[in-house]
Amino acid sequence: MMEEIRLIEVKEDILADNKGLADDLRATLRKHKTFLLNLMSSPGAGKTTLILATIAVLRHELRLAVIEADIDSMVDAEKVAATGVKAVQLRTGGFCHLDAAMVSKGLAALDLDQLDLVIIENVGNLVCPAEFDTGSIRNAMILSVPEGDDKPLKYPLMFSVCDVLMVNKIDYLPFSDFDLAAMQKRVFKLNPRIKIFEVSSKTGVGINAWTNWLKQEIKTFIGS
Amino acid sequence: MMEEIRLIEVKEDILADNKGLADDLRATLRKHKTFLLNLMSSPGAGKTTLILATIAVLRHELRLAVIEADIDSMVDAEKVAATGVKAVQLRTGGFCHLDAAMVSKGLAALDLDQLDLVIIENVGNLVCPAEFDTGSIRNAMILSVPEGDDKPLKYPLMFSVCDVLMVNKIDYLPFSDFDLAAMQKRVFKLNPRIKIFEVSSKTGVGINAWTNWLKQEIKTFIGS
């Protein structure tokens, strides 16, 4: 006689538990009027450099801190700390993403009443970070031109969960077969409300447009 | 001015939280007098076949169930259920190991008062499952001859956390350069108290020695 098999979806349970914790975290952020931005991308797309460019523009207007996630190094946190901005390093020890519990440990190391904006530099990975709500107010991602215009086809969830996309290393465009229009069409099909900025942390192109958008989002959040 | 970086070891926290939950689970198992065996190995080493061979010997003496972990299929659970033994399938959806929280969801689907032995077939992986205490009473692993005698050097933690090692597919030994004595020496250096059985689920060699050991462990546990 065949026994009936009981099927338990472990992943759905884990994601549901994480979502509950992320919602609690957002309530805490709202209480302290601290905006949390979750920045995601592939390794090498330019997260740290974009964060440094963002700090350079916003540090005199806003009180900032950065939570860095790294599997096993502190180099990114050291670059942030060298600017005089507070950095918390989460060493994930092999984990490929951050979840709300890990982010809440990072936030607990900061004085939220003294901060307007905390930027999370998530683990460099286009898959798992898209699945785990970190408790952030907005999700941002970087796609760099050298990665190719097909990434929205390969990693649709990441493009779907983000509020804003920075197309970075835009200075490479003339030397590349990256089709900006085709990429945008693919992204808007997945996520019609996403905001797209073409930027280059190297030349500074687009950085003000991006930081102006971010300031407006923070203003709306703090006023709400 | 360089800001001081606060370093948070996310992984250690996660493993500590998991250990607490695993200890709670063991207390529950003790109360119900249900022995939980956690079986680990590489993919294809023979976990399911060994479980089926173990069921064939023990099913008339003990009340058994199996918790199967699989990233995205139910084939192993179906093989177990076909023998008439109760199977719970945990679909991990990409996660590479089981933790105590996932195992407790699996155990909650079973009536522990009606069971003497529950076998967990962990995800096929020699790395992550070794790090996460599942709440089991004993940890078992399989190393199959075709995998090679160097595995204790490459995956020392797995060999360190197990109470018993089954060297499976021992019928391949005459056709292989697998050095049984060298492998045993490497394993005992990592874990002097480990019990080693040479088995073949195919020919049946060693299965009675293994199941006799397991019965003795269960008897000691239930009497304790």
Side-chain angles (χ1 to χ4, degrees):
Chain A
M1 62 311 182
M2 174 91 176
E3 271 278 340
E4 199 191 336
I5 301 168
R6 171 78 179 272
L7 175 65
I8 301 175
E9 299 283 1
V10 171
K11 191 177 192 179
E12 284 174 15
D13 286 352
I14 289 175
L15 291 178
D17 291 351
N18 182 65
K19 180 69 169 63
L21 203 52
D23 288 338
D24 294 346
L25 209 51
R26 268 186 291 275
T28 302
L29 291 164
R30 239 173 258 289
K31 208 179 69 192
H32 293 278
K33 296 192 177 292
T34 306
F35 189 97
L36 182 65
L37 179 80
N38 175 30
L39 181 60
M40 299 176 280
S41 82
S42 294
K47 288 187 296 304
T48 310
T49 315
L50 186 82
I51 287 173
L52 295 176
T54 305
I55 287 173
V57 176
L58 297 181
R59 61 179 305 164
H60 303 296
E61 304 173 50
L62 296 170
R63 298 167 300 170
L64 289 168
V66 175
I67 296 176
E68 288 286 341
D70 237 311
I71 288 173
D72 198 24
S73 89
M74 288 186 44
V75 289
D76 294 344
E78 282 162 6
K79 285 181 193 162
V80 170
T83 70
V85 162
K86 198 155 186 69
V88 177
Q89 175 73 55
L90 298 178
R91 188 148 61 190
T92 64
F95 292 115
C96 55
H97 67 272
L98 292 181
D99 62 21
M102 300 178 204
V103 170
S104 85
K105 286 179 201 289
L107 290 174
L110 296 168
D111 181 359
L112 294 187
D113 283 330
Q114 300 301 320
L115 290 168
D116 305 306
L117 170 62
V118 177
I119 303 175
I120 304 168
E121 181 173 341
N122 213 312
V123 183
N125 178 340
L126 289 180
V127 183
C128 315
E131 298 203 61
F132 285 83
D133 189 338
T134 56
S136 65
I137 306 302
R138 290 289 179 271
N139 288 318
M141 71 170 291
I142 300 175
L143 174 66
S144 65
V145 167
E147 291 172 81
D149 54 36
D150 61 340
K151 289 296 162 293
L153 303 174
K154 292 190 179 167
Y155 305 99
L157 185 63
M158 179 57 81
F159 289 84
S160 303
V161 302
C162 281
D163 303 289
V164 57
L165 164 64
M166 258 100 30
V167 186
N168 193 22
K169 307 187 189 178
I170 199 76
D171 49 305
Y172 279 67
L173 205 57
F175 323 109
S176 149
D177 61 357
F178 190 98
D179 185 336
L180 199 59
M183 185 278 298
Q184 282 173 337
K185 200 175 156 190
R186 287 166 188 155
V187 171
F188 284 131
K189 195 174 166 192
L190 291 166
N191 184 350
R193 290 183 305 182
I194 198 169
K195 187 82 191 154
I196 301 181
F197 294 104
E198 297 164 26
V199 303
S200 167
S201 303
K202 198 164 80 180
T203 68
V205 166
I207 298 295
N208 280 331
W210 145 247
T211 53
N212 283 337
W213 177 86
L214 182 57
K215 276 193 285 187
Q216 191 54 52
E217 293 291 308
I218 295 169
K219 206 172 146 187
T220 307
F221 170 75
I222 289 175
S224 70
Chain B
M1 63 310 181
M2 176 92 177
E3 271 279 339
E4 199 192 337
I5 302 168
R6 171 77 180 272
L7 175 66
I8 301 174
E9 299 282 2
V10 171
K11 192 176 192 179
E12 285 175 13
D13 285 353
I14 290 175
L15 292 178
D17 291 352
N18 181 66
K19 180 68 168 64
L21 202 54
D23 287 339
D24 293 347
L25 208 53
R26 267 185 292 273
T28 303
L29 291 164
R30 238 172 259 288
K31 206 178 70 190
H32 293 278
K33 296 190 177 292
T34 305
F35 189 96
L36 182 65
L37 178 81
N38 175 30
L39 181 60
M40 300 176 280
S41 82
S42 294
K47 287 185 295 304
T48 310
T49 314
L50 185 82
I51 287 173
L52 295 175
T54 305
I55 287 173
V57 176
L58 296 181
R59 64 179 305 164
H60 302 296
E61 304 173 48
L62 296 170
R63 297 166 301 170
L64 288 171
V66 175
I67 296 177
E68 288 286 341
D70 237 311
I71 287 176
D72 198 25
S73 88
M74 289 187 41
V75 289
D76 293 344
E78 283 163 4
K79 284 180 194 165
V80 170
T83 69
V85 163
K86 196 153 188 68
V88 177
Q89 175 74 53
L90 298 178
R91 188 147 62 188
T92 65
F95 293 113
C96 56
H97 66 271
L98 292 180
D99 63 21
M102 301 180 204
V103 170
S104 84
K105 286 178 201 290
L107 289 174
L110 296 168
D111 181 358
L112 295 187
D113 284 330
Q114 299 301 319
L115 290 167
D116 305 305
L117 169 63
V118 177
I119 303 175
I120 304 167
E121 181 173 341
N122 213 312
V123 183
N125 178 344
L126 288 181
V127 183
C128 314
E131 298 204 61
F132 285 84
D133 188 338
T134 56
S136 65
I137 306 301
R138 291 288 180 270
N139 288 318
M141 70 171 291
I142 300 175
L143 173 66
S144 65
V145 167
E147 291 173 82
D149 54 37
D150 61 341
K151 290 296 161 293
L153 303 175
K154 293 191 177 167
Y155 305 99
L157 185 64
M158 179 58 82
F159 289 84
S160 302
V161 301
C162 281
D163 303 288
V164 57
L165 163 64
M166 257 100 30
V167 186
N168 193 21
K169 307 187 189 179
I170 199 75
D171 49 306
Y172 280 65
L173 204 55
F175 323 109
S176 151
D177 61 359
F178 190 99
D179 185 336
L180 198 59
M183 185 278 297
Q184 282 173 336
K185 202 175 155 191
R186 287 166 187 155
V187 171
F188 285 132
K189 196 175 166 191
L190 291 166
N191 185 349
R193 289 183 303 182
I194 198 169
K195 187 82 193 156
I196 302 180
F197 293 103
E198 298 163 26
V199 304
S200 167
S201 302
K202 198 164 80 181
T203 68
V205 166
I207 298 296
N208 279 333
W210 146 247
T211 52
N212 283 338
W213 176 86
L214 181 58
K215 277 193 286 187
Q216 190 55 50
E217 292 292 308
I218 296 169
K219 204 172 147 188
T220 306
F221 170 77
I222 289 175
S224 71

